Amino acid sequence: LSLLEGSESADVSNRHKGFLSIPDHACNICAQRNLPISGSQRDVYSAAVTAFYLILHIHPFIGCDFFSRVRQDYLTYYQNQPKYILEPDTTNHPGNLILSSMTQLQWEQTVPALKSLFDQIFLAVTHPEKNWDNNMACWDPKQWIEALTLDMETNKNASSIIAHAFTNEWYRLV
C-alpha cells in the first residue's frame, strides 16, 4: 500500500476492466454526480480487493452468484451489478458451508477498523448513489496501512486458526 502514495498521476485510461477495478456501475454514477474518481482511489480500491482476498480467502464480490455464470458473463455482471458478499441480505453470499464458515470465522477475527474500511469502500461501490463520498476514510492509503498493520499485529496466529478450523470441518464432512 505504500506504493499508493503519489500515484495520482497514474494513467487510468488504459486500465483493464477486471475484478480489481472499480465497477463501471459505480464509475457511471459518480460521473453523473460529478464526482471524479482519481487514480489514487482506483489504486486504493484494487489494493482493498487484494487485501480482502488475502485475509478472507474470497473476493468481496465473487460469491455464489459467480458459480452459475461463466467467467466472462460474471465479469460483465460484476461491472454492471456488483453485490458485496458481506452486505446484509445479499443474495451473493460466499457459497458453500465450508467457505462461508471460513469467511465468517476470519471476518470475526478482523479488527473493527479494517472491517469498517472494507465495508465503506465496497458498499460505496455497490451503492454509489447513496454511499459514495470522495472524503471517506476508505480512500486514504494511510488509514489502510494503519488498519492492516493493526490487524496483522492482532491476528498473528489467525492463519493457523483458520487452517485448523478448515481442516477439522473438511475431515468431518469427508
Side-chain angles (χ1 to χ4, degrees), residues 98-130:
I98 295 172
L99 188 55
S100 290
S101 297
M102 281 180 47
T103 303
Q104 187 60 38
L105 181 59
Q106 190 64 42
W107 183 251
E108 289 169 4
Q109 293 175 353
T110 304
V111 296
L114 187 55
K115 285 182 184 180
S116 176
L117 290 172
F118 281 136
D119 283 345
Q120 278 182 30
I121 201 164
F122 298 136
L123 289 172
V125 166
T126 305
H127 306 288
E129 63 283 351
K130 60 183 176 181

Side-chain angles (χ1 to χ4, degrees), residues 86-103:
L86 295 177
E87 182 176 2
D89 301 324
T90 186
T91 59
N92 191 27
H93 53 83
N96 68 50
L97 179 61
I98 295 172
L99 188 55
S100 290
S101 297
M102 281 180 47
T103 303

Side-chain angles (χ1 to χ4, degrees), residues 30-43:
C30 286
Q32 291 169 2
R33 295 180 60 208
N34 200 26
L35 294 170
I37 301 173
S38 69
S40 177
Q41 285 174 302
R42 292 175 191 277
D43 290 344

Side-chain angles (χ1 to χ4, degrees), residues 22-64:
I22 295 175
D24 289 341
H25 167 74
C27 294
N28 294 338
I29 290 176
C30 286
Q32 291 169 2
R33 295 180 60 208
N34 200 26
L35 294 170
I37 301 173
S38 69
S40 177
Q41 285 174 302
R42 292 175 191 277
D43 290 344
V44 167
Y45 178 81
S46 294
V49 170
T50 302
F52 188 94
Y53 188 84
L54 291 172
I55 292 168
L56 297 172
H57 313 289
I58 191 169
H59 188 283
F61 293 92
I62 300 180
C64 63

Side-chain angles (χ1 to χ4, degrees), residues 1-13 15 20-22 36-49 121 132-134 136-145:
L1 281 173
S2 62
L3 296 175
L4 297 177
E5 297 175 21
S7 63
E8 196 66 37
S9 62
D11 178 20
V12 297
S13 61
R15 290 182 192 227
L20 295 178
S21 66
I22 295 175
I37 301 173
S38 69
S40 177
Q41 285 174 302
R42 292 175 191 277
D43 290 344
V44 167
Y45 178 81
S46 294
V49 170
I121 201 164
W132 193 286
D133 179 353
N134 283 342
M136 292 188 310
C138 66
W139 298 121
D140 181 359
K142 290 177 183 157
Q143 295 285 326
W144 284 97
I145 293 167

